[in-house]
């Protein structure tokens, strides 16, 4: 049984209530097959910085965001907001502000050690993906719940919760045939200003979404093998 989708209201302080959960158990053979297929498909995922201007199906992006919103969160507070930006002028303003911050960062604010880590990726302060991609998903984390009357309640494990949701968003977009990039200009206060977000929200990431450009290239990288990331006890 999945959690019903509806109009959410805060459950802070309410008593514990339980409902039965009886998912159909998948057979071992089918489970192994699906896991292998998923592993193969996710191995094809790459971060893309060259996007086609071709439009993407709106419903695919909305469904991917809906998948992300099923992520687990601290005390089930779901401390995230996803702002889908398609307006070219708003994307232009975001790019302009992001590149201004990035110029300062690449000019020295990042420090040589960080710049050296970025060098194999071929990145710089120019961010065409912010206007070339037909859509941006700007993810905000809600540091606290803000009621209509101005009342506040602290949210817990916000970074962890929103990070998990972003990971699920990237997976959903990739498995739906779209490319994406996690862009985190620092600082990101300008995103709240450009998008008019409330005071309880803090920008977490900008995710351009679209199809790779015809001349798209990605860095020649190697992922760690399973034995390099897995410890079995």
């Amino acid at each position: 049984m999945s959690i019903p989708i509806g109009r959410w209201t805060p459950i802070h302080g309410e008593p514990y209530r339980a409902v039965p959960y009886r998912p159909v158990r998948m057979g071992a053979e089918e489970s192994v097959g699906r896991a292998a297929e998923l592993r193969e498909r996710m191995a094809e995922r790459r971060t893309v910085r060259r996007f086609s201007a071709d439009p993407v199906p709106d419903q695919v992006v909305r469904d991917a965001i809906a998948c992300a919103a099923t992520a687990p969160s601290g005390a089930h507070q779901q401390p995230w907001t996803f702002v889908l930006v398609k307006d070219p002028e708003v994307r232009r303003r975001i790019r302009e502000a992001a590149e201004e911050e990035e110029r300062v960062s690449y000019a020295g604010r990042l420090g040589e050690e960080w710049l050296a880590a970025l060098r194999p990726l071929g990145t710089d302060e120019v961010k065409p993906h912010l206007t070339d991609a037909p859509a941006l998903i700007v993810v905000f984390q809600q540091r606290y719940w803000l009621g209509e009357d101005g009342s506040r309640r602290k949210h817990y494990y916000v970074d962890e919760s929103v990070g998990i949701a972003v990971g699920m968003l990237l997976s959903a977009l990739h498995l739906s045939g779209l490319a994406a990039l996690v862009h985190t200009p620092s600082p990101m206060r300008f995103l709240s200003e450009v998008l008019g977000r409330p005071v309880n929200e803090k920008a977490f990431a900008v995710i351009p979404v679209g199809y790779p450009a015809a001349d798209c290239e990605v860095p020649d990288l190697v992922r760690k093998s399973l034995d390099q990331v897995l410890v079995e006890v």
Side-chain angles (χ1 to χ4, degrees):
M1 178 179 178
S2 61
I3 299 177
I5 303 297
R7 198 68 191 168
W8 176 86
T9 56
I11 60 173
H12 183 88
E14 292 187 8
Y16 170 72
R17 292 190 296 270
V19 293
Y21 182 60
R22 305 288 187 272
V24 176
R25 179 177 294 190
M26 186 181 298
E29 184 176 347
E30 181 181 1
S31 183
V32 169
R34 287 202 188 184
E37 180 184 4
L38 180 60
R39 178 178 178 176
E40 183 176 345
R41 292 196 64 189
M42 291 304 296
E44 297 170 351
R45 190 204 62 78
R46 293 300 305 262
T47 290
V48 166
R49 290 182 171 84
R50 294 188 186 180
F51 286 89
S52 166
D54 293 343
V56 298
D58 288 344
Q59 194 57 48
V60 172
V61 179
R62 293 191 185 102
D63 284 343
I65 293 172
C67 288
T70 68
S73 60
H76 191 55
Q77 292 170 324
Q78 305 165 87
W80 42 62
T81 301
F82 303 89
V83 180
L84 178 56
V85 184
K86 295 185 292 182
D87 186 284
E89 174 59 21
V90 178
R91 288 188 283 122
R92 184 197 65 78
R93 290 173 60 196
I94 290 175
R95 176 179 176 179
E96 186 177 90
E99 289 184 336
E100 183 176 343
E101 294 293 351
E102 296 284 33
R103 277 191 290 271
V104 177
S105 294
Y106 278 88
R109 180 165 61 189
L110 293 179
E112 179 52 35
E113 185 174 0
W114 194 345
L115 290 173
L118 290 173
R119 205 161 289 133
L121 304 181
T123 62
D124 57 27
E125 66 275 14
V126 182
K127 307 299 179 184
H129 46 263
L130 295 174
T131 48
D132 290 349
L136 304 177
I137 302 173
V138 185
V139 184
F140 288 86
Q141 52 181 196
Q142 301 170 6
R143 306 306 301 179
Y144 53 88
W145 175 80
L146 183 63
E148 294 181 0
D149 60 355
S151 58
R152 303 182 180 190
R153 290 197 191 99
K154 181 180 178 180
H155 283 165
Y156 299 92
Y157 297 104
V158 175
D159 292 341
E160 295 86 347
S161 301
V162 179
I164 294 169
V166 167
M168 293 177 63
L169 175 60
L170 296 175
S171 298
L173 290 168
H174 172 68
L175 294 173
S176 300
L178 300 181
L181 158 72
V182 178
H183 180 52
T184 53
S186 180
M188 292 192 282
R189 287 186 295 272
F190 67 88
L191 290 165
S192 294
E193 297 168 4
V194 171
L195 297 173
R197 301 312 304 159
V199 296
N200 65 320
E201 293 186 358
K202 178 182 177 182
F204 187 83
V206 183
I207 302 177
V209 177
Y211 299 110
D215 62 349
C216 181
E217 295 180 337
V218 295
D220 185 8
L221 303 175
V222 176
R223 289 191 172 101
K224 291 181 178 180
S225 62
L226 183 60
D227 67 289
Q228 289 178 294
V229 301
L230 172 64
V231 176
E232 298 191 58
V233 180

